[in-house]
Amino acid sequence: MVAPAFINPARAASRGAPEFNSTVWAIAFRGNTVYAGGSFTSVKSHGRTYVRKRLVAFDARTGAVLPWNPVAKGTVRALAVAGGSLYAGGDFTEINGLRRSKLARFDSSGKLSRWAPRVSGGVTSLAIGQGRVYAAGQFSSVDGARRGNIVAFRHASGALDRGFRTAADTRVRALAVTRTRLYLGGDFHKVNGTVARRLAAVSTGDGRLIKAFRPVAPATVMDLAVSPSGLSTATGGPGGRAVGYTPAGRVRWTHLFDGDVHTLAVLGRTTYVGGHFDRACKSTSTISQRGCKAGYASRVKLAALDDRGRLTGWNPRANGAIGVQALSADPAHRWVAAGGAFTAIGGSSRERFALFGG
């Protein structure tokens, strides 16, 4: 087992990461820069407060807020980096006073690009792979073309990929991409007209449903992450669960929590878990188990699981009723970032963002 990368909360606080005045919903890394998106309108760093309306960039090593200062009119819920581009998705209608309907792209200098697709509803997830930018959420059309809650664009040109024609019957909350598969998670019950409850895989090229992947998700899938061993999901429902699946959709492991699991990030063979739970089952179970016979261990809003779904000793202890809404991992630096509505980690002030690792 690869040991999880973490530092204790005191060292996390001393890193000087910025603090936010409202929820952080999305995090992305590029080199030493961290991008964050959310509903916040100001950010505090090293005793100074900066106006940053729902988007910010800062130095991961020092916590210094960078000059980049776009203004989003509406919440940013998803971020993704591809080469020199940063993509943002959410509920916003304008960026820097220019119309940007739920999607926007910034170039390597941080300048807002001319890319401006028109999306009929909100975007909650982004994924990038195989020369495409995939966006999902709850919408029925993009640029006037009918699209059922998921769409693909060509990364190089920004053009709508008209050959990718996946459609889900209701909200897609999460995406994860591999070389040949795009995994979808959410509230849906059908994909491309075929029964696929809450979790499915489609071809990265044309969007056709991959029928060899036949999982049975126990509840709404809120997030997805790909590890060397397969797919992991974050779910709500009765209690919360993190579930590991094989490429065929068979359950590898299930870990129970006493509240919804909202978000996942994979670093090496460790899966980091965030949500609004306070306890995690001491044992890994099967998907049919409703209770936790081994009893629970305290894991407040954050936990980590090994490659077999077993609870590790990582226990930074976030707070708040809502807790952690976003996790992101940077393999190059072995960093894990957490965002959400919490205000403390391990009893130390940590307003809605924390960075672990290094």
Side-chain angles (χ1 to χ4, degrees), residues 266-283:
V266 170
L267 186 60
R269 291 186 176 274
T270 300
T271 299
Y272 292 84
V273 180
H276 71 242
F277 51 83
D278 293 323
R279 300 181 302 161
C281 191
K282 292 180 180 178
S283 63

Side-chain angles (χ1 to χ4, degrees), residues 4 29 44 71 76 89 96 113 123 135 205 221 230 250 285 333:
F29 290 96
K44 184 184 294 184
V71 175
V76 175
N96 294 343
S113 81
V123 171
V221 174
R250 294 189 298 272
S285 66
H333 297 91

Side-chain angles (χ1 to χ4, degrees), residues 35-273:
Y35 296 95
S39 55
F40 54 85
T41 55
S42 68
V43 177
K44 184 184 294 184
S45 177
H46 300 291
R48 180 178 172 184
T49 298
Y50 300 80
V51 175
R52 291 293 186 272
K53 293 189 177 180
R54 304 169 191 93
L55 283 164
V56 69
F58 58 92
D59 190 311
R61 299 162 300 179
T62 66
V65 174
L66 301 180
W68 187 67
N69 187 19
V71 175
K73 187 178 181 180
T75 301
V76 175
R77 298 189 181 275
L79 294 171
V81 169
S85 297
L86 172 71
Y87 291 88
D91 304 327
F92 53 84
T93 56
E94 293 180 2
I95 302 283
N96 294 343
L98 301 173
R99 184 188 62 80
R100 292 295 185 272
S101 175
K102 317 309 192 303
L103 287 170
R105 181 172 67 190
F106 301 87
D107 65 22
S108 57
S109 70
K111 182 180 178 181
L112 182 68
S113 81
R114 297 179 66 181
W115 186 66
R118 304 182 309 279
V119 184
S120 64
V123 171
T124 55
S125 185
L126 295 168
I128 297 174
Q130 305 308 306
R132 296 174 177 86
V133 180
Y134 303 97
Q138 192 161 26
F139 50 82
S140 59
S141 67
V142 177
D143 287 340
R146 186 170 180 79
R147 288 296 183 272
N149 305 302
I150 183 167
V151 65
F153 302 91
R154 293 288 180 175
H155 171 54
S157 65
L160 182 69
D161 187 341
R162 296 185 181 276
F164 180 88
R165 294 301 301 267
T166 295
D169 63 348
T170 189
R171 182 187 304 177
V172 178
R173 294 175 178 262
L175 299 172
V177 66
T178 68
R179 186 177 62 84
T180 60
R181 292 184 176 189
L182 179 67
Y183 291 103
L184 324 176
D187 305 326
F188 54 82
H189 286 77
K190 287 186 178 181
V191 172
N192 297 347
T194 299
V195 173
R197 290 187 174 89
R198 309 181 188 93
L199 181 60
V202 300
S203 166
T204 53
D206 59 13
R208 63 179 173 79
L209 184 66
I210 297 175
K211 295 182 179 180
F213 181 71
R214 300 181 61 84
V216 179
T220 295
V221 174
M222 299 183 176
D223 201 8
L224 301 169
V226 175
S227 76
S229 301
L231 179 72
S232 301
T233 67
T235 72
R241 300 164 189 256
V243 185
Y245 292 92
T246 70
R250 294 189 298 272
V251 174
R252 294 180 59 235
W253 50 262
T254 299
H255 207 99
L256 304 180
F257 295 81
D258 69 344
D260 288 351
V261 178
H262 287 152
T263 182
L264 303 171
V266 170
L267 186 60
R269 291 186 176 274
T270 300
T271 299
Y272 292 84
V273 180

